[in-house]
Amino acid sequence: MTESFTPLLTTTDWNAEWMQLQKARRHRDSAVYWNERAKTFTSKDYPNPYVNSFLERAGVAPEESVFDMGCGTGALALPLGEAGHAVTAADFSEGMLSILRGELEARGIKSVHCEQMSWEDDWEEHGITPKSHDVCTASRSIAVDDMRAALLKLTMVARRRVCITLPTGASPRTDDHVIEALGLASRVGRDHLYAVNILSSMGFEPELTYIKSSRHDTFETFDDALRKYDDMVRKACALLPETRTQIALSKLKPWLETQIVENEDAGKPGERGIPQGALRLREPRTITWAFIAWNVD
């Protein structure tokens, strides 16, 4: 006689688990936080390999309109606007949108409309109505408590296709090198799998590919690097017992001492046009993004 078996993959409420995970592991991003970060941003995200890879996979056809949610300073909106697409670029950070508006004006792009709004807002009050855009994008911007609600909103707005990216780990602010070195690789989340499972349970057939993005972090002093990585590890350990967190942190300084070297490009503009610090990591920080797309028709 065969024992009964309940397959968790098909019976788990993945959105409920996602909501519990978000509540347990991190604070919510806020417009105030991103307005402050915007002071250190420019519009120099394009062109770069990540943007090129995203747009190639998105396959926006000529003359199609695009709704870009969480647009930031315009990594996608600017090249789409330059290509002649009508774009609604939405973000809850006025600081980010201000940078984007300035760049749009400087480049003479008229086809991009900026809208200040959040994932939780009533989108129709902002003119973002069902089937109002051909393609919806959300690049590196889905930091929400309710994943299913966010995916549904994008799906309702799109006439043809939705394209998003999510980190394959717990956060794009985490360095996979240190996570592996401190023995935490099996402890971090896999955010993209929640989206894939939720979409599949809704009857969609999500496409999944991967985009690798490199970041060259620099620091003025070793202590600056240590503070940043201490915070990074603590957030990665948010779901672990305090004793496990302390074990990981005890390994951090010795690991960093082997990884921090002098930066031969100190003072020169970095990837976002900001002067580089005196020190850098021996190897660039690599982030793997999951590109997830689905057709809605």
Side-chain angles (χ1 to χ4, degrees):
M1 179 175 169
T2 304
E3 295 183 6
S4 62
F5 169 69
T6 302
L8 296 179
L9 184 62
T10 57
T11 58
T12 299
D13 185 336
W14 295 105
N15 196 55
E17 183 171 314
W18 169 264
M19 294 175 76
Q20 287 183 310
L21 179 63
Q22 293 298 88
K23 184 178 180 180
R25 76 180 182 188
R26 68 188 185 199
H27 69 280
R28 284 180 51 81
D29 286 338
S30 67
V32 172
Y33 169 80
W34 284 105
N35 285 340
E36 284 300 310
R37 286 207 67 188
K39 296 175 182 178
T40 66
F41 276 57
T42 70
S43 56
K44 296 185 181 297
D45 274 346
Y46 178 79
N48 70 28
Y50 169 87
V51 172
N52 293 338
S53 295
F54 188 106
L55 293 176
E56 179 182 351
R57 289 166 168 78
V60 182
E63 299 185 4
E64 281 193 317
S65 60
V66 179
F67 172 62
D68 184 22
M69 183 58 194
C71 64
T73 59
L76 298 183
L78 287 168
L80 287 167
E82 286 182 327
H85 295 281
V87 180
T88 301
D91 203 286
F92 68 176
S93 168
E94 176 56 34
M96 295 290 184
L97 292 177
S98 177
I99 294 172
L100 173 55
R101 291 190 190 100
E103 193 64 24
L104 290 170
E105 184 176 356
R107 300 190 191 189
I109 299 173
K110 305 295 185 182
S111 62
V112 178
H113 166 71
C114 296
E115 188 72 28
Q116 186 178 1
M117 53 181 271
S118 73
W119 285 99
E120 292 76 24
D121 286 346
D122 183 333
W123 288 7
E124 292 197 42
E125 290 185 356
H126 291 265
I128 311 301
T129 57
K131 304 297 181 185
S132 58
H133 295 72
D134 295 302
V135 179
C136 289
T137 60
S139 169
R140 305 180 291 194
S141 65
I142 302 183
V144 296
D145 288 338
D146 192 331
M147 175 71 78
R148 187 174 188 274
L151 299 177
L152 276 175
K153 279 188 168 184
L154 292 170
T155 301
M156 286 188 291
V157 171
R159 285 192 285 264
R160 184 177 70 83
R161 184 168 170 81
V162 182
C163 306
I164 67 173
T165 47
L166 284 164
T168 56
S171 169
R173 302 168 199 167
T174 300
D175 187 340
D176 287 344
H177 294 131
V178 70
I179 294 302
E180 292 176 6
L182 303 189
L184 299 172
S186 63
R187 302 287 186 167
V188 298
R190 298 290 182 263
D191 287 13
H192 65 300
L193 296 181
Y194 285 93
V196 170
N197 287 338
I198 292 168
L199 287 165
S200 297
S201 70
M202 292 162 58
F204 294 105
E205 298 178 350
E207 307 161 20
L208 175 61
T209 56
Y210 297 94
I211 302 173
K212 289 191 179 294
S213 175
S214 295
R215 297 186 183 179
H216 298 266
D217 294 331
T218 67
F219 316 92
E220 285 303 323
T221 67
F222 181 85
D223 285 343
D224 289 339
L226 185 59
R227 279 191 293 270
K228 178 174 180 176
Y229 272 75
D230 183 279
D231 181 63
M232 182 187 297
V233 171
R234 288 181 186 279
K235 288 178 179 176
C237 291
L239 301 180
L240 299 181
E242 179 62 23
T243 53
R244 184 68 184 84
T245 300
Q246 292 305 318
I247 291 172
L249 287 172
S250 69
K251 303 175 183 178
L252 177 59
K253 185 175 180 180
W255 178 83
L256 269 180
E257 288 173 341
T258 69
Q259 299 300 312
I260 296 293
V261 298
E262 290 187 7
N263 180 19
E264 59 274 18
D265 294 321
K268 296 180 181 179
E271 293 162 345
R272 291 197 172 100
I274 301 168
Q276 299 180 49
L279 303 174
R280 65 170 174 85
L281 289 171
R282 189 179 299 277
E283 300 291 337
R285 179 159 60 95
T286 300
I287 303 164
T288 302
W289 295 94
F291 178 92
I292 304 169
W294 62 101
N295 296 325
V296 300
D297 52 2

